[in-house]
Short mmCIF file of all heavy atoms in Angstrom, two decimals:
data_model
loop_
_atom_site.label_atom_id
_atom_site.label_comp_id
_atom_site.label_asym_id
_atom_site.label_seq_id
_atom_site.Cartn_x
_atom_site.Cartn_y
_atom_site.Cartn_z
N ARG A 507 26.58 -0.02 -2.62
CA ARG A 507 26.97 1.37 -2.88
C ARG A 507 27.68 1.48 -4.24
O ARG A 507 27.40 2.39 -5.02
CB ARG A 507 27.88 1.88 -1.75
CG ARG A 507 27.09 2.38 -0.54
CD ARG A 507 27.96 3.08 0.45
NE ARG A 507 28.74 2.13 1.23
CZ ARG A 507 28.32 1.56 2.36
NH1 ARG A 507 27.13 1.87 2.85
NH2 ARG A 507 29.07 0.69 3.00
N ILE A 508 28.55 0.52 -4.51
CA ILE A 508 29.29 0.55 -5.78
C ILE A 508 28.31 0.39 -6.96
O ILE A 508 28.39 1.11 -7.95
CB ILE A 508 30.37 -0.56 -5.80
CG1 ILE A 508 31.43 -0.23 -4.75
CG2 ILE A 508 30.99 -0.73 -7.18
CD1 ILE A 508 32.43 -1.34 -4.48
N TRP A 509 27.36 -0.53 -6.80
CA TRP A 509 26.36 -0.73 -7.88
C TRP A 509 25.62 0.59 -8.14
O TRP A 509 25.42 0.99 -9.28
CB TRP A 509 25.37 -1.82 -7.50
CG TRP A 509 24.39 -2.13 -8.61
CD1 TRP A 509 24.54 -3.05 -9.59
CD2 TRP A 509 23.13 -1.47 -8.85
NE1 TRP A 509 23.45 -3.03 -10.44
CE2 TRP A 509 22.57 -2.07 -10.01
CE3 TRP A 509 22.42 -0.45 -8.22
CZ2 TRP A 509 21.33 -1.69 -10.54
CZ3 TRP A 509 21.19 -0.06 -8.75
CH2 TRP A 509 20.65 -0.67 -9.89
N GLY A 510 25.26 1.25 -7.04
CA GLY A 510 24.52 2.51 -7.16
C GLY A 510 25.33 3.55 -7.93
O GLY A 510 24.80 4.25 -8.80
N GLU A 511 26.62 3.62 -7.60
CA GLU A 511 27.48 4.61 -8.25
C GLU A 511 27.56 4.34 -9.75
O GLU A 511 27.43 5.23 -10.57
CB GLU A 511 28.88 4.48 -7.65
CG GLU A 511 29.38 5.77 -7.01
CD GLU A 511 30.68 5.51 -6.31
OE1 GLU A 511 31.73 5.62 -6.96
OE2 GLU A 511 30.61 5.17 -5.11
N LYS A 512 27.74 3.05 -10.08
CA LYS A 512 27.88 2.68 -11.50
C LYS A 512 26.56 2.87 -12.26
O LYS A 512 26.56 3.11 -13.46
CB LYS A 512 28.33 1.22 -11.62
CG LYS A 512 29.79 1.05 -11.24
CD LYS A 512 30.28 -0.31 -11.70
CE LYS A 512 31.72 -0.53 -11.29
NZ LYS A 512 32.01 -1.92 -11.00
N SER A 513 25.46 2.68 -11.55
CA SER A 513 24.16 2.73 -12.22
C SER A 513 23.84 4.13 -12.75
O SER A 513 23.02 4.28 -13.65
CB SER A 513 23.05 2.31 -11.26
OG SER A 513 22.85 3.33 -10.29
N GLY A 514 24.44 5.15 -12.16
CA GLY A 514 24.16 6.52 -12.57
C GLY A 514 22.77 6.99 -12.15
O GLY A 514 22.26 7.98 -12.65
N LEU A 515 22.16 6.26 -11.23
CA LEU A 515 20.80 6.65 -10.81
C LEU A 515 20.79 7.96 -10.01
O LEU A 515 19.81 8.70 -10.06
CB LEU A 515 20.16 5.52 -9.99
CG LEU A 515 19.72 4.29 -10.78
CD1 LEU A 515 19.25 3.18 -9.86
CD2 LEU A 515 18.60 4.65 -11.76
N ASN A 516 21.85 8.20 -9.27
CA ASN A 516 21.95 9.47 -8.55
C ASN A 516 22.82 10.40 -9.39
O ASN A 516 23.97 10.07 -9.69
CB ASN A 516 22.59 9.26 -7.17
CG ASN A 516 21.69 8.39 -6.30
OD1 ASN A 516 20.49 8.28 -6.55
ND2 ASN A 516 22.27 7.78 -5.29
N ARG A 517 22.26 11.54 -9.76
CA ARG A 517 22.97 12.41 -10.71
C ARG A 517 23.01 13.84 -10.20
O ARG A 517 22.03 14.33 -9.63
CB ARG A 517 22.26 12.41 -12.06
CG ARG A 517 22.88 11.41 -13.04
CD ARG A 517 22.05 11.34 -14.28
NE ARG A 517 20.77 10.67 -14.01
CZ ARG A 517 19.68 10.82 -14.74
NH1 ARG A 517 19.66 11.65 -15.76
NH2 ARG A 517 18.58 10.15 -14.45
N THR A 518 24.14 14.50 -10.48
CA THR A 518 24.27 15.90 -10.09
C THR A 518 24.19 16.77 -11.34
O THR A 518 24.84 16.48 -12.33
CB THR A 518 25.64 16.12 -9.41
OG1 THR A 518 25.72 15.25 -8.29
CG2 THR A 518 25.81 17.55 -8.93
N PHE A 519 23.36 17.80 -11.27
CA PHE A 519 23.30 18.77 -12.37
C PHE A 519 23.80 20.08 -11.77
O PHE A 519 23.02 20.85 -11.22
CB PHE A 519 21.87 18.93 -12.89
CG PHE A 519 21.26 17.63 -13.35
CD1 PHE A 519 20.56 16.81 -12.44
CD2 PHE A 519 21.38 17.20 -14.66
CE1 PHE A 519 19.99 15.61 -12.85
CE2 PHE A 519 20.81 16.00 -15.08
CZ PHE A 519 20.12 15.20 -14.17
N LYS A 520 25.12 20.29 -11.83
CA LYS A 520 25.68 21.53 -11.26
C LYS A 520 25.88 22.50 -12.41
O LYS A 520 26.38 22.13 -13.46
CB LYS A 520 26.98 21.22 -10.53
CG LYS A 520 26.77 21.02 -9.02
CD LYS A 520 27.96 21.48 -8.21
CE LYS A 520 27.54 21.73 -6.76
NZ LYS A 520 28.67 22.00 -5.89
N ASN A 521 25.44 23.72 -12.18
CA ASN A 521 25.46 24.66 -13.29
C ASN A 521 26.03 26.01 -12.87
O ASN A 521 25.64 27.04 -13.37
CB ASN A 521 24.04 24.83 -13.83
CG ASN A 521 23.05 25.03 -12.69
OD1 ASN A 521 23.46 25.19 -11.54
ND2 ASN A 521 21.78 25.02 -12.99
N GLY A 522 26.90 25.98 -11.86
CA GLY A 522 27.52 27.22 -11.41
C GLY A 522 26.61 28.07 -10.53
O GLY A 522 26.98 29.15 -10.09
N ARG A 523 25.39 27.56 -10.29
CA ARG A 523 24.45 28.33 -9.46
C ARG A 523 24.83 28.21 -8.00
O ARG A 523 25.44 27.23 -7.58
CB ARG A 523 23.03 27.82 -9.68
CG ARG A 523 22.54 27.99 -11.08
CD ARG A 523 22.27 29.45 -11.37
NE ARG A 523 21.98 29.65 -12.79
CZ ARG A 523 21.51 30.80 -13.26
NH1 ARG A 523 21.28 31.81 -12.45
NH2 ARG A 523 21.28 30.93 -14.54
N LYS A 524 24.39 29.18 -7.23
CA LYS A 524 24.75 29.21 -5.81
C LYS A 524 23.69 28.54 -4.94
O LYS A 524 23.85 28.36 -3.75
CB LYS A 524 24.95 30.66 -5.35
CG LYS A 524 26.24 31.26 -5.89
CD LYS A 524 27.43 30.69 -5.13
CE LYS A 524 28.75 30.94 -5.83
NZ LYS A 524 29.73 29.87 -5.61
N LYS A 525 22.54 28.26 -5.56
CA LYS A 525 21.48 27.60 -4.80
C LYS A 525 21.27 26.21 -5.37
O LYS A 525 21.41 26.01 -6.58
CB LYS A 525 20.17 28.38 -4.93
CG LYS A 525 20.20 29.73 -4.25
CD LYS A 525 18.87 30.40 -4.48
CE LYS A 525 18.80 31.73 -3.75
NZ LYS A 525 17.50 32.36 -3.93
N GLY A 526 20.94 25.29 -4.50
CA GLY A 526 20.78 23.92 -4.98
C GLY A 526 19.57 23.22 -4.39
O GLY A 526 18.99 23.66 -3.39
N ILE A 527 19.18 22.15 -5.05
CA ILE A 527 18.07 21.32 -4.54
C ILE A 527 18.54 19.88 -4.53
O ILE A 527 19.08 19.40 -5.53
CB ILE A 527 16.83 21.41 -5.45
CG1 ILE A 527 16.28 22.83 -5.49
CG2 ILE A 527 15.74 20.44 -4.98
CD1 ILE A 527 15.15 23.00 -6.49
N ILE A 528 18.32 19.20 -3.41
CA ILE A 528 18.50 17.75 -3.38
C ILE A 528 17.09 17.18 -3.53
O ILE A 528 16.21 17.49 -2.73
CB ILE A 528 19.14 17.28 -2.07
CG1 ILE A 528 20.53 17.93 -1.91
CG2 ILE A 528 19.24 15.76 -2.03
CD1 ILE A 528 21.20 17.66 -0.57
N ALA A 529 16.87 16.43 -4.59
CA ALA A 529 15.51 15.99 -4.90
C ALA A 529 15.44 14.48 -4.97
O ALA A 529 16.20 13.85 -5.69
CB ALA A 529 15.08 16.59 -6.24
N CYS A 530 14.52 13.91 -4.20
CA CYS A 530 14.36 12.46 -4.19
C CYS A 530 13.06 12.11 -4.93
O CYS A 530 12.01 12.71 -4.67
CB CYS A 530 14.24 11.94 -2.77
SG CYS A 530 15.60 12.46 -1.73
N GLY A 531 13.13 11.12 -5.81
CA GLY A 531 11.92 10.63 -6.49
C GLY A 531 11.14 11.75 -7.14
O GLY A 531 11.69 12.57 -7.89
N ILE A 532 9.87 11.85 -6.80
CA ILE A 532 8.99 12.86 -7.39
C ILE A 532 9.50 14.27 -7.14
O ILE A 532 9.22 15.20 -7.90
CB ILE A 532 7.53 12.70 -6.86
CG1 ILE A 532 6.52 13.64 -7.54
CG2 ILE A 532 7.46 12.94 -5.37
CD1 ILE A 532 6.03 13.14 -8.84
N GLY A 533 10.29 14.45 -6.08
CA GLY A 533 10.86 15.76 -5.76
C GLY A 533 11.64 16.31 -6.95
O GLY A 533 11.70 17.53 -7.15
N TYR A 534 12.20 15.43 -7.78
CA TYR A 534 12.97 15.87 -8.94
C TYR A 534 12.07 16.57 -9.96
O TYR A 534 12.46 17.56 -10.57
CB TYR A 534 13.67 14.66 -9.57
CG TYR A 534 14.43 15.00 -10.83
CD1 TYR A 534 15.55 15.83 -10.78
CD2 TYR A 534 14.01 14.51 -12.06
CE1 TYR A 534 16.24 16.17 -11.94
CE2 TYR A 534 14.71 14.84 -13.23
CZ TYR A 534 15.81 15.66 -13.17
OH TYR A 534 16.48 15.99 -14.30
N VAL A 535 10.87 16.06 -10.11
CA VAL A 535 9.94 16.67 -11.07
C VAL A 535 9.58 18.08 -10.59
O VAL A 535 9.51 19.02 -11.38
CB VAL A 535 8.67 15.79 -11.20
CG1 VAL A 535 7.64 16.43 -12.10
CG2 VAL A 535 9.05 14.41 -11.73
N TYR A 536 9.39 18.22 -9.29
CA TYR A 536 9.10 19.54 -8.76
C TYR A 536 10.33 20.44 -8.88
O TYR A 536 10.23 21.63 -9.21
CB TYR A 536 8.65 19.46 -7.30
CG TYR A 536 7.39 18.64 -7.12
CD1 TYR A 536 7.26 17.70 -6.10
CD2 TYR A 536 6.31 18.80 -7.98
CE1 TYR A 536 6.11 16.94 -5.95
CE2 TYR A 536 5.15 18.04 -7.84
CZ TYR A 536 5.06 17.12 -6.82
OH TYR A 536 3.92 16.37 -6.68
N ALA A 537 11.51 19.88 -8.62
CA ALA A 537 12.74 20.68 -8.68
C ALA A 537 12.95 21.24 -10.08
O ALA A 537 13.39 22.37 -10.24
CB ALA A 537 13.93 19.81 -8.29
N LYS A 538 12.55 20.47 -11.08
CA LYS A 538 12.77 20.93 -12.45
C LYS A 538 11.96 22.18 -12.76
O LYS A 538 12.27 22.93 -13.66
CB LYS A 538 12.42 19.81 -13.43
CG LYS A 538 13.55 18.80 -13.54
CD LYS A 538 13.55 18.07 -14.87
CE LYS A 538 12.33 17.19 -15.02
NZ LYS A 538 12.34 16.35 -16.19
N GLU A 539 10.91 22.42 -11.97
CA GLU A 539 10.09 23.60 -12.22
C GLU A 539 10.83 24.90 -11.87
O GLU A 539 10.38 25.97 -12.21
CB GLU A 539 8.78 23.50 -11.45
CG GLU A 539 7.96 22.32 -11.94
CD GLU A 539 6.48 22.46 -11.69
OE1 GLU A 539 6.01 23.56 -11.41
OE2 GLU A 539 5.81 21.43 -11.79
N TYR A 540 11.95 24.77 -11.14
CA TYR A 540 12.75 25.96 -10.87
C TYR A 540 13.54 26.38 -12.09
O TYR A 540 14.12 27.44 -12.11
CB TYR A 540 13.75 25.68 -9.74
CG TYR A 540 13.20 25.79 -8.37
CD1 TYR A 540 12.69 24.68 -7.71
CD2 TYR A 540 13.19 27.01 -7.72
CE1 TYR A 540 12.20 24.78 -6.43
CE2 TYR A 540 12.69 27.11 -6.43
CZ TYR A 540 12.20 25.99 -5.80
OH TYR A 540 11.71 26.09 -4.53
N GLY A 541 13.60 25.52 -13.07
CA GLY A 541 14.39 25.83 -14.26
C GLY A 541 15.86 25.92 -13.90
O GLY A 541 16.34 25.22 -13.01
N PRO A 542 16.57 26.80 -14.55
CA PRO A 542 18.03 26.83 -14.36
C PRO A 542 18.47 27.53 -13.09
O PRO A 542 19.66 27.69 -12.86
CB PRO A 542 18.50 27.59 -15.60
CG PRO A 542 17.33 28.44 -15.98
CD PRO A 542 16.09 27.77 -15.50
N GLU A 543 17.52 27.93 -12.27
CA GLU A 543 17.89 28.72 -11.08
C GLU A 543 18.69 27.92 -10.07
O GLU A 543 19.40 28.47 -9.26
CB GLU A 543 16.61 29.23 -10.37
CG GLU A 543 15.74 30.11 -11.24
CD GLU A 543 16.49 31.35 -11.70
OE1 GLU A 543 17.16 31.95 -10.85
OE2 GLU A 543 16.42 31.67 -12.89
N TYR A 544 18.53 26.64 -10.07
CA TYR A 544 19.12 25.82 -9.02
C TYR A 544 19.98 24.70 -9.60
O TYR A 544 19.64 24.12 -10.63
CB TYR A 544 18.01 25.18 -8.17
CG TYR A 544 17.31 26.17 -7.25
CD1 TYR A 544 16.39 27.08 -7.76
CD2 TYR A 544 17.57 26.16 -5.89
CE1 TYR A 544 15.76 27.99 -6.92
CE2 TYR A 544 16.93 27.06 -5.05
CZ TYR A 544 16.03 27.97 -5.57
OH TYR A 544 15.41 28.85 -4.74
N ALA A 545 21.06 24.42 -8.88
CA ALA A 545 21.78 23.17 -9.15
C ALA A 545 20.94 22.04 -8.55
O ALA A 545 20.22 22.27 -7.57
CB ALA A 545 23.13 23.22 -8.48
N ILE A 546 20.97 20.87 -9.16
CA ILE A 546 20.11 19.78 -8.65
C ILE A 546 20.92 18.51 -8.43
O ILE A 546 21.74 18.14 -9.26
CB ILE A 546 18.95 19.48 -9.64
CG1 ILE A 546 18.03 20.70 -9.79
CG2 ILE A 546 18.14 18.27 -9.17
CD1 ILE A 546 16.91 20.53 -10.80
N LEU A 547 20.65 17.89 -7.30
CA LEU A 547 21.17 16.53 -7.06
C LEU A 547 19.95 15.61 -7.04
O LEU A 547 19.08 15.73 -6.17
CB LEU A 547 21.93 16.44 -5.74
CG LEU A 547 22.30 15.03 -5.28
CD1 LEU A 547 23.15 14.29 -6.31
CD2 LEU A 547 23.04 15.06 -3.94
N LYS A 548 19.89 14.74 -8.03
CA LYS A 548 18.73 13.84 -8.14
C LYS A 548 19.08 12.53 -7.45
O LYS A 548 20.03 11.85 -7.83
CB LYS A 548 18.42 13.58 -9.62
CG LYS A 548 17.30 12.61 -9.88
CD LYS A 548 17.12 12.44 -11.40
CE LYS A 548 15.82 11.76 -11.76
NZ LYS A 548 15.84 10.33 -11.50
N ILE A 549 18.29 12.18 -6.44
CA ILE A 549 18.53 10.93 -5.71
C ILE A 549 17.43 9.92 -6.10
O ILE A 549 16.25 10.18 -5.91
CB ILE A 549 18.49 11.15 -4.18
CG1 ILE A 549 19.55 12.16 -3.73
CG2 ILE A 549 18.62 9.81 -3.44
CD1 ILE A 549 20.95 11.66 -3.70
N SER A 550 17.86 8.80 -6.64
CA SER A 550 16.90 7.75 -7.01
C SER A 550 17.31 6.41 -6.44
O SER A 550 16.67 5.39 -6.72
CB SER A 550 16.83 7.59 -8.53
OG SER A 550 16.68 8.82 -9.15
N TYR A 551 18.40 6.40 -5.69
CA TYR A 551 18.91 5.11 -5.21
C TYR A 551 19.56 5.27 -3.83
O TYR A 551 20.34 6.19 -3.60
CB TYR A 551 19.96 4.58 -6.20
CG TYR A 551 20.61 3.29 -5.73
CD1 TYR A 551 19.96 2.07 -5.90
CD2 TYR A 551 21.86 3.29 -5.11
CE1 TYR A 551 20.53 0.89 -5.45
CE2 TYR A 551 22.44 2.12 -4.66
CZ TYR A 551 21.77 0.92 -4.83
OH TYR A 551 22.33 -0.25 -4.37
N TYR A 552 19.22 4.36 -2.96
CA TYR A 552 19.83 4.28 -1.63
C TYR A 552 20.30 2.83 -1.45
O TYR A 552 19.60 1.94 -1.93
CB TYR A 552 18.81 4.57 -0.53
CG TYR A 552 17.84 5.71 -0.82
CD1 TYR A 552 16.74 5.51 -1.67
CD2 TYR A 552 18.01 6.96 -0.25
CE1 TYR A 552 15.85 6.55 -1.92
CE2 TYR A 552 17.11 8.00 -0.50
CZ TYR A 552 16.03 7.78 -1.34
OH TYR A 552 15.15 8.79 -1.59
N PRO A 553 21.41 2.52 -0.83
CA PRO A 553 22.33 3.40 -0.11
C PRO A 553 23.39 3.95 -1.06
O PRO A 553 23.66 3.35 -2.09
CB PRO A 553 22.98 2.43 0.88
CG PRO A 553 23.02 1.12 0.16
CD PRO A 553 21.82 1.10 -0.72
N PHE A 554 23.95 5.08 -0.69
CA PHE A 554 25.03 5.64 -1.52
C PHE A 554 26.07 6.25 -0.58
O PHE A 554 25.80 6.49 0.60
CB PHE A 554 24.48 6.69 -2.48
CG PHE A 554 23.69 7.76 -1.79
CD1 PHE A 554 24.32 8.82 -1.16
CD2 PHE A 554 22.31 7.68 -1.74
CE1 PHE A 554 23.59 9.79 -0.50
CE2 PHE A 554 21.56 8.64 -1.07
CZ PHE A 554 22.21 9.71 -0.45
N ALA A 555 27.25 6.49 -1.14
CA ALA A 555 28.31 7.09 -0.32
C ALA A 555 27.96 8.55 -0.07
O ALA A 555 27.57 9.27 -1.00
CB ALA A 555 29.65 6.97 -1.05
N GLU A 556 28.09 8.98 1.17
CA GLU A 556 27.65 10.34 1.51
C GLU A 556 28.53 11.42 0.90
O GLU A 556 28.18 12.61 0.94
CB GLU A 556 27.56 10.48 3.03
CG GLU A 556 26.41 9.66 3.58
CD GLU A 556 26.18 9.84 5.06
OE1 GLU A 556 26.76 10.77 5.65
OE2 GLU A 556 25.40 9.04 5.62
N THR A 557 29.65 11.02 0.32
CA THR A 557 30.48 12.03 -0.37
C THR A 557 29.69 12.68 -1.50
O THR A 557 29.97 13.82 -1.88
CB THR A 557 31.75 11.36 -0.97
OG1 THR A 557 31.34 10.18 -1.65
CG2 THR A 557 32.77 11.02 0.09
N LEU A 558 28.71 11.97 -2.01
CA LEU A 558 27.84 12.52 -3.05
C LEU A 558 27.18 13.81 -2.56
O LEU A 558 27.13 14.82 -3.26
CB LEU A 558 26.78 11.47 -3.40
CG LEU A 558 25.81 11.77 -4.52
CD1 LEU A 558 26.53 11.71 -5.87
CD2 LEU A 558 24.66 10.75 -4.53
N ILE A 559 26.67 13.74 -1.35
CA ILE A 559 26.01 14.91 -0.75
C ILE A 559 27.06 15.97 -0.41
O ILE A 559 26.87 17.15 -0.68
CB ILE A 559 25.26 14.50 0.55
CG1 ILE A 559 24.27 13.36 0.27
CG2 ILE A 559 24.59 15.68 1.21
CD1 ILE A 559 22.94 13.77 -0.23
N LYS A 560 28.15 15.49 0.19
CA LYS A 560 29.21 16.41 0.64
C LYS A 560 29.70 17.25 -0.55
O LYS A 560 29.80 18.48 -0.46
CB LYS A 560 30.35 15.57 1.21
CG LYS A 560 31.45 16.35 1.87
CD LYS A 560 32.33 15.38 2.67
CE LYS A 560 33.54 16.10 3.24
NZ LYS A 560 34.68 16.11 2.37
N ASP A 561 29.96 16.59 -1.67
CA ASP A 561 30.47 17.30 -2.84
C ASP A 561 29.43 18.27 -3.40
O ASP A 561 29.75 19.35 -3.85
CB ASP A 561 30.87 16.30 -3.94
CG ASP A 561 32.05 15.46 -3.51
OD1 ASP A 561 32.69 15.83 -2.50
OD2 ASP A 561 32.32 14.43 -4.15
#
Side-chain angles (χ1 to χ4, degrees):
R507 277 190 283 272
I508 293 170
W509 184 91
E511 239 173 88
K512 287 194 182 147
S513 72
L515 287 173
N516 295 339
R517 264 173 289 157
T518 302
F519 303 89
K520 264 212 160 172
N521 46 8
R523 297 288 171 169
K524 288 285 165 212
K525 293 179 176 182
I527 297 174
I528 300 174
C530 306
I532 185 82
Y534 176 66
V535 176
Y536 299 136
K538 280 206 294 187
E539 297 205 16
Y540 278 93
E543 300 300 316
Y544 287 75
I546 297 177
L547 170 58
K548 177 181 194 285
I549 300 285
S550 312
Y551 176 80
Y552 319 79
F554 54 81
E556 290 185 12
T557 46
L558 184 71
I559 304 275
K560 187 167 174 271
D561 293 347

